[in-house]
Amino acid sequence: MMQKVNLGMIGGGTVGSGVFHAWQHNGTLMAARLGVQLGFRKIAVKAFDEPRPYRIPRALMTTHWQEVVHDPEIQIVIELVGGTGIARTMVLAALAQGKTVVTANKALLSAHGPELFAAAAKHGVNLHYEASVCGGIPIIKSLREGFVANQFPAIYGIVNGTCNYILSRMAAEGADFADVLAEAQKLGYAETPPDLDVDGFDAQHKTGILASLAHGFWVRHENIHTEGIRSVSRMDMQFAQQLGYTIKLLGIVKRCQMRGANSAVQVSVYPTLIPNAHVLASVNGVFNACFVRGDVVGDTLFYGRGAGKDATASAVLSDVADAALDLKHGTEVRVPPFVDHARKGRVLPMDEIVSRYYVRLSVVDKPGVLAKISAILAAAKIGISSVVQPEGHEGESVPLILMLHDAPNGAVRKALAKIGQLTAVKAAPVMFRVESFD
Ligand code: HSE
């Protein structure tokens, strides 16, 4: 007779009911593929009648999460509550009960990863989190297993669907950020308040997880330079397009220096000008993508839905399958949740990171202004690769676009502060970094 593994789930809303529905739909197929039968035993919900897109049988539901965690028949606990408060208590309690945990909670991992991994190790169980990054895209499994023979010189991710939806519409329609955001909220794509997404924190959590796995030291979220997309204006989107670029919120994990086994890595999230010819420039709408450069495999690209009940369910059930196979074979921690392999790796401070730049200034249209600006840049050893003063702008100030050559962020930050103080410069300089994917 086929072995049976019992599942408990905490969270029976949109994603939870999506997981249950996908299991109802494909559970038999999964059992055939795995040689293990998966069965839901209990699902803890906020309320029996909370709105959910798919039905969950009343007999499976409880409003007490402790009943899931303390049920001795349950071997795998799926946490889909979200946040960093009660979810942490639930995951720690489940691990302490010797249960393998599957979570989609990127904020929880970002805030408490090492504590949770230590708890899993202490209790001899595993913690799986495929759904925490890029939703349905199997990026965690790919980094840890598919690319196990690789080092990762660079990873670039479009990891937040809400931001990508907003930026794609701004690019396609010449729309303003605020108008697209309001509509995205009306359609239910963007949360209210939208801060976690549009201020870059959700992308920060996901980029940190990717960076940690790729480089083998846990990247703390406070070390990740993060800028959201509120500063992207319609005007900058249009100028970027005229110059052959599109603007995307990019999670960047790039190895900058290597000394022996120790690496210094850029780990950052910010709106970035991407050349239109690069494949990531074509990733539009709510889609996510992850461009992974391995030193052995070369360049690879992953594309798919980064959120939503069904895509997330696909990733959650893939973790459940791994956990069930480990239970079947008695290898509970075949692939541990996280392995330190570069203990002295470090995140490079933003000021030391070298990139190219797009700068937009609002300047008085008078002789000598450009000379003053270029003198400040020259003194800082920052080269200008092109200058555009678009025709058709009149008034007290006009836009002046500068594309700058590779330079350290610190030098550019200081030079722009000086430029912003010139009397001919009428507003704080706008700066976005440009990625060449070299
Ligand atoms: N809110 C996220 C996004 C999905 O817009 O991509 C969950 O991480």
Side-chain angles (χ1 to χ4, degrees):
M1 208 174 80
M2 199 184 276
Q3 186 178 335
K4 187 163 182 212
V5 168
N6 291 319
L7 313 175
M9 187 156 70
I10 310 177
T14 304
V15 175
S17 71
V19 170
F20 185 75
H21 177 260
W23 167 80
Q24 279 183 313
H25 194 61
N26 284 337
T28 308
L29 175 64
M30 287 181 74
R33 285 175 171 159
L34 301 170
V36 182
Q37 210 185 328
L38 305 168
F40 273 91
R41 194 171 153 84
K42 257 184 210 127
I43 300 176
V45 297
K46 256 191 255 162
F48 295 128
D49 58 355
E50 74 180 289
R52 56 180 65 90
Y54 303 115
R55 201 183 150 269
I56 296 175
R58 173 70 180 77
L60 279 179
M61 290 195 280
T62 169
T63 50
H64 301 287
W65 63 267
Q66 291 88 347
E67 284 185 26
V68 172
V69 165
H70 292 284
D71 184 332
E73 298 297 318
I74 288 175
Q75 292 139 297
I76 301 172
V77 171
I78 304 166
E79 180 273 311
L80 298 172
V81 170
T84 58
I86 185 71
R88 172 175 164 269
T89 308
M90 292 163 171
V91 169
L92 287 172
L95 295 171
Q97 290 296 313
K99 300 186 193 307
T100 286
V101 173
V102 172
T103 180
N105 193 335
K106 59 237 79 181
L108 178 66
L109 285 168
S110 175
H112 301 293
E115 180 193 16
L116 301 176
F117 301 146
K122 180 176 164 197
H123 299 291
V125 289
N126 212 338
L127 174 64
H128 298 262
Y129 49 92
E130 182 62 70
S132 68
V133 183
C134 289
I137 302 174
I139 190 67
I140 303 290
K141 198 175 180 78
S142 300
L143 286 182
R144 293 203 301 195
E145 298 182 59
F147 296 146
V148 68
N150 287 261
Q151 297 184 43
F152 299 101
I155 298 175
Y156 303 94
I158 294 175
V159 295
N160 185 272
T162 304
C163 289
N164 204 42
Y165 171 82
I166 293 172
L167 294 175
S168 303
R169 284 201 48 192
M170 286 175 71
E173 299 162 26
D176 275 318
F177 169 78
D179 294 340
V180 183
L181 173 61
E183 211 175 305
Q185 285 178 310
K186 226 191 300 170
L187 290 168
Y189 291 154
E191 307 282 342
T192 307
D195 315 17
L196 201 63
D197 290 321
V198 300
D199 291 327
F201 297 113
D202 175 77
Q204 177 198 73
H205 300 154
K206 296 167 177 170
T207 303
I209 293 169
L210 294 178
S212 302
L213 288 177
H215 291 283
F217 66 96
W218 190 251
V219 173
R220 297 162 63 91
H221 59 87
E222 56 269 32
N223 292 337
I224 304 175
H225 178 91
T226 302
E227 297 171 25
I229 62 166
R230 289 185 202 266
S231 60
V232 180
S233 68
R234 177 170 62 162
M235 188 190 273
D236 292 311
M237 188 62 95
Q238 285 170 349
F239 286 143
Q241 286 181 329
Q242 285 165 22
L243 291 162
Y245 296 90
T246 192
I247 303 179
K248 297 285 185 193
L249 185 72
L250 213 55
I252 301 178
V253 180
K254 207 185 322 187
R255 193 169 64 198
C256 302
Q257 298 159 9
M258 193 77 195
R259 279 201 201 98
N262 303 328
S263 49
V265 187
Q266 170 181 359
V267 187
S268 53
V269 173
Y270 46 71
T272 310
L273 269 73
I274 297 182
N276 282 333
H278 193 272
V279 66
L280 286 179
S282 312
V283 175
N284 286 316
V286 293
F287 280 90
N288 281 196
C290 205
F291 183 92
V292 179
R293 179 169 294 156
D295 64 339
V296 180
V297 70
D299 289 349
T300 63
L301 181 72
F302 297 77
Y303 172 87
R305 289 189 185 278
K309 56 189 186 309
D310 301 318
T312 309
S314 171
V316 166
L317 287 174
S318 81
D319 277 347
V320 167
D322 272 348
L325 279 176
D326 277 348
L327 286 167
K328 177 182 170 189
H329 295 291
T331 55
E332 273 81 349
V333 193
R334 189 182 59 87
V335 181
F338 179 68
V339 182
D340 263 327
H341 56 82
R343 287 180 187 277
K344 294 200 181 107
R346 68 185 176 105
V347 176
L348 210 57
M350 196 61 208
D351 273 358
E352 291 177 35
I353 286 164
V354 171
S355 63
R356 293 175 59 223
Y357 304 84
Y358 158 101
V359 173
R360 176 171 57 81
L361 303 170
S362 298
V363 299
V364 176
D365 194 6
K366 278 194 186 144
V369 171
L370 188 54
K372 283 188 183 138
I373 293 167
S374 55
I376 292 174
L377 291 170
K381 299 193 170 47
I382 299 166
I384 300 172
S385 61
S386 67
V387 179
V388 184
Q389 185 178 329
E391 292 286 341
H393 290 266
E394 284 172 19
E396 201 213 339
S397 60
V398 296
L400 178 69
I401 316 299
L402 306 175
M403 297 296 282
L404 306 181
H405 282 300
D406 269 343
N409 272 255
V412 170
R413 181 174 57 74
K414 285 178 200 152
L416 291 183
K418 281 188 192 156
I419 289 171
Q421 283 165 2
L422 294 173
T423 49
V425 174
K426 292 297 175 197
V430 172
M431 180 275 279
F432 294 108
R433 298 167 190 89
V434 180
E435 185 56 55
S436 323
F437 301 96
D438 297 335

